[in-house]
Structure formats: structure tokens, C-alpha cells
Amino acid sequence: MVVDFNKLSLWQLVLHVVCSVVVLINAMMPAFDKKTWNYEIKSMETYSANESLLKFDLTIERVSRGVYAFTGDLIMTIDVNEEDDSYIEACAARSHNGVSDYRMLPFKMPRQHLFTAMNTFYKEILMETLSECSNLPVFEDKFEPPLRKGVYTITKCQFSQDGFPNHVAEGFYKIMIFGNGTVDWSISVIAQVETAH
């Protein structure tokens, strides 16, 4: 393609150069579209301040490299209503060696009402996967309270790297989810990230 630069405005010229650079980078570096890391879940801990109201019985199994399945039950003996003080938050930390010195990362879900989180974080990130392997709530537009008491069963729900960034620094990552209200609870998962070979 031959371009007459004398007939182009400054903005057209800049746009043409930027587009050309993007095309060249995409052609020369296809590896940028691929995951450069793998992870392995090292541990999971759950906590409930009152297991007669809320109890976790969850396990993790490795399906293949970078793919893990969660199985078990979440047992609730109370309904969670819209007017209840039920809040949830999540954060992440990283350690170079996994022993100490976990430093907080900027990735977090700020403290918010459980139903706000269900209509955002849960709906956008977890619901599609969980709908195929659990009896956790599935909804179209907005979750309609209450969250009913019962046994919520998860059967080999697989979570892969697909929703994560292509490039992640090596080290140990701790993902922590905290809930408080009628029952204080938490889930903590530690995973080791290594560069893919």
C-alpha cells in the first residue's frame, strides 16, 4: 500500500503510524496473547464463627496443570435477607517465598453488601461456571433476596486460567474472602505461580 503523506492531515498521519505499529507488533509477537505462567493451589482454609448457622465442607482436586476442581457443600441454616447486615470483601496478597512477608496487592473487592456482590462480582465472574456444577443461585438480571437456607452443593467445579491476565509474576498468592454479619466467615486460598516452560 502506497500512502501519499503530503495529502494527509497531522492526525491522519499519527493514526496511520499507530495502526501500522500495532499490526507489526501483533505479527511479530504472537506470544503476548498466551499465558506465560501456570499455577498450583497449595492450600485452602475455611472458617465459620458459628458452624450451626454456616458450615463449609470443601475440597480441591487438581484436574490438570493450571486447572483445579472444587467439590463439597456450603450448609446454611438461615435465610439471608436484604435488610440483614451481611457484608463481604476480598483481597489478594503476594509473597516471594510463601513463608512470610505477604504484601497486599491492589486487586481487591471493597467491603459491600452481600447482594451487591452477587449482582456484580458473583454474576460477572463466578455464576456462569458455577451454574454448570452447583445448585448455587443463577439469575438473569438482578438477584432477588433472600438467599435461602439449604445445602449448596458444588461438584467438580473447574476454574482455569482463562479469566486471568496473560502475565503474572512468580511467587505465592493468597486470595482472601471475608464475610461478616449474622455469621463471620472466611475462605483463604494459597496458590503458587511459576513461569510456564
Side-chain angles (χ1 to χ4, degrees):
M1 178 173 118
V2 177
V3 178
D4 186 351
F5 290 104
N6 296 322
K7 293 183 178 179
L8 294 177
S9 70
L10 178 61
W11 291 113
Q12 288 173 317
L13 180 60
V14 169
L15 181 61
H16 179 76
V17 170
V18 168
C19 289
S20 298
V21 169
V22 169
V23 168
L24 283 173
I25 288 174
N26 284 337
M28 293 169 60
M29 301 184 177
F32 279 5
D33 292 336
K34 298 177 183 175
K35 294 285 186 288
T36 60
W37 56 279
N38 290 308
Y39 78 99
E40 181 176 340
I41 293 181
K42 295 296 187 181
S43 67
M44 177 179 65
E45 292 181 5
T46 60
Y47 164 79
S48 171
N50 188 341
E51 290 194 341
S52 67
L53 299 179
L54 174 65
K55 183 178 180 180
F56 298 97
D57 182 15
L58 297 172
T59 60
I60 301 173
E61 61 180 287
R62 180 177 170 173
V63 177
S64 63
R65 187 134 176 101
V67 179
Y68 290 81
F70 290 74
T71 297
D73 295 321
L74 168 66
I75 304 161
M76 293 176 47
T77 61
I78 53 168
D79 290 340
V80 180
N81 296 291
E82 196 165 14
E83 62 273 10
D84 294 343
D85 289 332
S86 294
Y87 290 90
I88 186 171
E89 62 186 302
C91 58
R94 179 182 174 272
S95 167
H96 178 71
N97 59 17
V99 178
S100 60
D101 195 28
Y102 274 93
R103 296 183 183 220
M104 297 305 295
L105 297 170
F107 313 109
K108 66 179 184 177
M109 180 181 72
R111 186 175 185 267
Q112 56 194 272
H113 196 278
L114 174 64
F115 297 136
T116 301
M118 288 191 71
N119 285 311
T120 54
F121 176 79
Y122 173 82
K123 182 179 180 181
E124 295 164 9
I125 298 173
L126 299 175
M127 189 171 75
E128 184 177 351
T129 296
L130 291 170
S131 68
E132 299 174 2
C133 55
S134 79
N135 63 338
L136 285 160
V138 176
F139 49 92
E140 287 289 327
D141 298 317
K142 188 176 177 185
F143 179 77
E144 296 295 334
L147 178 59
R148 299 282 183 196
K149 64 184 175 183
V151 178
Y152 293 97
T153 300
I154 299 169
T155 306
K156 294 187 176 180
C157 283
Q158 293 185 18
F159 294 90
S160 72
Q161 296 167 264
D162 292 345
F164 294 97
N166 287 339
H167 312 289
V168 176
E170 286 191 337
F172 291 79
Y173 289 79
K174 183 187 290 188
I175 312 300
M176 297 162 284
I177 304 172
F178 304 97
N180 57 54
T182 307
V183 181
D184 290 348
W185 58 270
S186 66
I187 299 173
S188 177
V189 177
I190 294 179
Q192 182 179 9
V193 169
E194 296 178 323
T195 301
H197 299 291

